[in-house]
Amino acid sequence: MGRRHRNPLSNPLHYATAQLASGPPITCAAAQRGLANYDYVIVGAGAAGCVLASKLSEDTNVSVLVLEAGGDNTKVLETKVPLMFSKLFHTQHDWDYYTVEQPGLASRQLYWPRGRIIGGSSSMNAMMYHHCSKSDFDEWASTYGCVGWSYDELAPYFRSMERFTANPARPAIDTQYRGSLGKWETGYSWLTEVVEEGFLSACQDANIPAIADVNTPQGSLGSTRFQTFIDRKGQRSSLATAFLSPDVLQRPNLYVACHARVTRVLFDRLTTKEPTAIGVEFQIQRSGKRFQVHARREVLLCGGAVNTPQTLLLSGIGPTAELKKHGIPVVQENEAVGRNLKDHLCTSPIVAKAKPGATLDYLSNNLKALPALARWMLTGGGPLSSNIGEAAAFIRSTDYHFPQSMRAPRDCTSGGVGPDLELIGAPIAFIHHGEEKANDGGGVFSIIPIALRPQSHGTITIQSRDVFDAPIIDPKYFSDEGENDRNVLLVGTRVCLKIIRSPAFKKFFEPVPVNDDPTSYWWPFSSSNIDNITDEQLIRFMEEKAFTLYHPVGSARMGPSPATSVVDPECRVHGIKGLRVMDASVFPEQISGHPTAPIAAMAAKLSDMIKESNTAANLVRANL
């Protein structure tokens, strides 16, 4: 499509939508080459989509269209104020998904927040900047055949994307592992006193050593302050603010359309031996007309671990039985689409009652929060610039043994060296995504154990051929043979109980009475029964209270064989030309930490791979 003259009074995000909506409606199933076309069509402006759009449009000789189901992020205050991210839950900016009932979790349906906004979940999640363990990516390359995706091959992209700002109030770290010239702002944000002097000291009391920087080849093991993607102004630095900044959006070869729901990928099945992706079909409203745009080079799916497999299935790529069930013509059979879903499950936090003012729970009161809001607006500092998950400990469950426990986890870590538990320290009652208050409504401190290397794996399927019907999410929590997932979280819960009883916390917590007082520790952990809690009691607690930590992966996994994977090591969909996937769905195995930084680095690496492949193709054509 030729260059458009932009209306200077209109937001470029909305402008592209209006232009596309004026195009011709779909009149037949066969794609027509004469319709509006771009070199690349990117489906989803989430973490990966933002990076790919920015990187690919650096070449002024190509045109890039991004189709995003959500809206503009730039005017939403809750995306900017770090501590306010949970206020985006259950809003128009959230897909507001729920799982099916989970037999392993007391038959509960679990809420899964996912970002439906420019920036995707990077615009509404907690802002942990984490490379995860070197062994995670080395395992991808060595065990799963994902050549090119080892840690050493990704490390240059981690560094090139990052603009790290040192904080003089935090300990010095080795800056050789930090980037200083990238677009994505990282650093150390607000640290509450109870975290710094309480939680981190208590971790050392529990024999968890301190580690200054978890984002190095040495890995994550130890206790640490979190590096975050919060900028120097105290605002979220999402992948949207970093890579779809105003100057990038003004590029004449980049178009970003909001509120465009992609219904399927379009294929040429007549003139090529293999089905070739040549564009996509989309709708603005459920009852509205359908439109289509074409891609001269490639279609890139970046919808995330839930929406990407949904799009593949609606496009006729997936298990034959699933497609026939919904009357979808089979374009390419692939049994791995929507399978191998893994998520990070955490128990409800171990919570201790804090002294007044020691935690940040008072900020849930709008009147009490006004001074903090004024401070943030004036200076960018103060408690509203807290990441909530301010610090964490990464440990290996097999390093711990508790005499009162009869269960022992087996080692399922990456390379036998990575962590399989993360214990987050948060100066707030983060119970069920912050929706449930502490018993007496007062301030509390939370320690949240997360199982990082789950063996349970589930599925993403579809309800119908209608893209507006939410996908069926079944993570099958606690379904693994041998119950290792339960055993790992059991250890994590007991370590949290050990940490929270450390003398380091004494000055921050209300005195704990000798008798059983259910208000001293959140049920069922009062001071006098902790050492006597049975495995069965803790498992019941986990089953009734566990929830997601928002890290689903693997539903369109990468691998060399179409028998067990959806995309090859260049993220090309097996058996299809011109179609790639880049988001957390391609992870061949769950990583032992937070996925935002790995997704961004992978998207940057893939953009280089795409550019190189097109350069090679151009050279071949030139020599013919």
Side-chain angles (χ1 to χ4, degrees):
M1 177 173 288
R3 181 176 298 185
R4 295 197 187 97
H5 296 288
R6 297 184 184 273
N7 182 345
L9 300 179
S10 65
N11 187 315
L13 300 176
H14 296 155
Y15 182 66
T17 302
Q19 292 293 310
L20 288 169
S22 65
I26 293 219
T27 56
C28 62
Q32 300 175 29
R33 293 283 187 178
L35 296 178
N37 59 80
Y38 303 79
D39 289 297
Y40 300 101
V41 174
I42 298 173
V43 180
C50 288
V51 176
L52 282 167
S54 182
K55 294 289 187 180
L56 292 175
S57 63
E58 290 172 349
D59 182 351
T60 58
N61 294 315
V62 303
S63 58
V64 179
L65 169 68
V66 185
L67 296 173
E68 166 57 37
D72 183 2
N73 65 301
T74 60
K75 305 299 182 183
V76 183
L77 178 67
E78 292 84 357
T79 69
K80 304 179 190 302
V81 185
L83 195 70
M84 294 177 67
F85 73 86
S86 64
K87 292 187 179 294
L88 293 164
F89 295 172
H90 306 296
T91 70
Q92 63 178 322
H93 307 299
D94 177 14
W95 285 100
D96 202 18
Y97 286 139
Y98 284 83
T99 70
V100 299
E101 289 186 356
Q102 296 297 292
L105 297 180
S107 297
R108 292 182 294 128
Q109 291 181 288
L110 271 63
Y111 166 51
W112 272 28
R114 310 300 302 158
R116 185 169 63 181
I117 188 171
I118 298 292
S121 292
S122 82
S123 289
M124 69 174 286
N125 58 7
M127 290 133 281
M128 281 81 161
Y129 180 75
H130 190 204
H131 290 187
C132 303
S133 177
K134 179 180 187 295
S135 56
D136 294 337
F137 306 102
D138 292 346
E139 179 185 65
W140 289 8
S142 62
T143 303
Y144 293 98
C146 298
V147 177
W149 298 97
S150 69
Y151 181 83
D152 288 344
E153 290 162 307
L154 276 172
Y157 292 94
F158 281 122
R159 287 194 293 273
S160 67
M161 298 179 70
E162 179 186 11
R163 183 158 74 245
F164 176 79
T165 300
N167 187 329
R170 303 289 172 254
I173 61 174
D174 189 344
T175 56
Q176 70 169 307
Y177 299 114
R178 304 273 58 78
S180 60
L181 302 176
K183 295 183 176 182
W184 197 16
E185 295 202 41
T186 67
Y188 289 103
S189 51
W190 177 268
L191 192 63
T192 309
E193 185 182 8
V194 67
V195 175
E196 185 167 21
E197 297 185 15
F199 175 73
L200 289 171
S201 296
C203 286
Q204 293 185 59
D205 288 346
N207 297 318
I208 303 173
I211 179 172
D213 187 353
V214 293
N215 293 324
T216 76
Q218 282 66 53
S220 302
L221 288 174
S223 57
T224 189
R225 300 164 175 81
F226 254 121
Q227 291 171 32
T228 67
F229 45 95
I230 296 172
D231 68 19
R232 288 164 287 184
K233 297 179 181 179
Q235 298 186 24
R236 174 191 297 271
S237 178
S238 70
L239 274 307
T241 62
F243 287 91
L244 288 184
S245 55
D247 60 316
V248 173
L249 288 172
Q250 288 301 319
R251 291 174 182 168
N253 62 330
L254 174 62
Y255 308 85
V256 180
C258 294
H259 309 296
R261 190 77 67 89
V262 169
T263 57
R264 65 182 174 122
V265 178
L266 302 171
F267 298 100
D268 179 354
R269 303 180 66 186
L270 300 176
T271 62
T272 58
K273 184 177 181 181
E274 291 181 308
T276 300
I278 57 171
V280 300
E281 172 187 282
F282 70 95
Q283 287 178 261
I284 304 298
Q285 298 174 344
R286 184 169 196 159
S287 59
K289 294 180 180 180
R290 295 186 178 187
F291 307 92
Q292 60 181 223
V293 289
H294 288 173
R296 286 187 289 266
R297 298 191 181 188
E298 294 188 76
V299 174
L300 307 168
L301 300 185
C302 303
V306 176
N307 293 87
T308 283
Q310 179 192 31
T311 301
L312 289 169
L313 290 166
L314 292 175
S315 304
I317 302 171
T320 297
E322 176 74 9
L323 299 176
K324 288 185 176 180
K325 174 183 174 182
H326 298 287
I328 299 173
V330 178
V331 174
Q332 179 66 41
E333 180 181 11
N334 188 307
E335 294 295 320
V337 173
R339 305 302 195 256
N340 306 300
L341 174 71
K342 289 194 172 185
D343 184 37
H344 283 155
L345 185 69
C346 58
T347 73
S348 208
I350 309 305
V351 178
K353 185 178 180 181
K355 291 180 179 179
T359 64
L360 304 181
D361 292 285
Y362 71 93
L363 294 173
S364 63
N365 181 302
N366 290 338
L367 187 60
K368 293 180 179 179
L370 281 176
L373 180 60
R375 179 180 178 182
W376 179 85
M377 294 181 73
L378 288 171
T379 70
L384 286 182
S385 63
S386 167
N387 193 44
I388 295 184
E390 295 182 357
F394 292 89
I395 62 175
R396 292 168 53 83
S397 63
T398 52
D399 290 343
Y400 293 84
H401 174 71
F402 295 91
Q404 63 269 51
S405 178
M406 302 301 293
R407 289 170 170 255
R410 69 181 187 276
D411 189 347
C412 295
T413 59
S414 58
V417 296
D420 61 354
L421 278 167
E422 179 182 1
L423 315 176
I424 291 180
I428 202 167
F430 200 72
I431 307 166
H432 284 136
H433 317 286
E435 297 173 348
E436 184 176 336
K437 303 303 180 185
N439 279 358
D440 61 357
V444 298
F445 187 85
S446 304
I447 307 182
I448 308 158
I450 305 113
L452 297 177
R453 296 280 294 181
Q455 300 306 294
S456 302
H457 50 87
T459 60
I460 300 290
T461 52
I462 54 177
Q463 293 188 56
S464 71
R465 297 180 65 169
D466 189 341
V467 71
F468 288 88
D469 286 338
I472 300 171
I473 304 170
D474 186 5
K476 295 181 169 51
Y477 293 121
F478 285 167
S479 64
D480 60 311
E481 186 177 351
E483 298 191 341
N484 198 62
D485 290 351
R486 283 183 175 86
N487 296 343
V488 169
L489 265 180
L490 191 62
V491 170
T493 303
R494 290 195 183 277
V495 176
C496 288
L497 290 169
K498 182 177 181 180
I499 291 172
I500 213 160
R501 298 168 71 196
S502 165
F505 272 129
K506 279 186 177 180
K507 72 175 184 177
F508 299 103
F509 292 166
E510 295 283 7
V512 178
V514 175
N515 62 321
D516 279 359
D517 180 358
T519 65
S520 298
Y521 286 88
W522 193 60
W523 184 92
F525 312 122
S526 63
S527 59
S528 62
N529 72 4
I530 288 179
D531 291 330
N532 299 316
I533 297 174
T534 65
D535 290 345
E536 289 69 27
Q537 287 175 308
L538 286 176
I539 288 172
R540 184 175 70 249
F541 169 72
M542 293 190 298
E543 292 175 347
E544 293 175 354
K545 300 294 183 179
F547 60 99
T548 177
L549 199 72
Y550 326 123
H551 301 160
V553 306
S555 52
R557 73 194 303 194
M558 183 195 304
S561 170
T564 57
S565 63
V566 178
V567 300
D568 69 13
E570 292 187 39
C571 299
R572 300 172 298 197
V573 175
H574 290 299
I576 303 287
K577 289 185 176 180
L579 181 61
R580 302 197 204 219
V581 175
M582 175 42 65
D583 52 44
S585 70
V586 305
F587 287 17
E589 178 57 271
Q590 183 60 281
I591 54 177
S592 50
H594 300 261
T596 308
I599 292 169
M602 292 172 70
K605 186 177 190 301
L606 180 61
S607 70
D608 279 353
M609 296 167 71
I610 292 172
K611 292 176 181 178
E612 290 168 5
S613 66
N614 284 326
T615 299
N618 290 337
L619 288 173
V620 170
R621 285 193 292 268
N623 291 324
L624 289 179

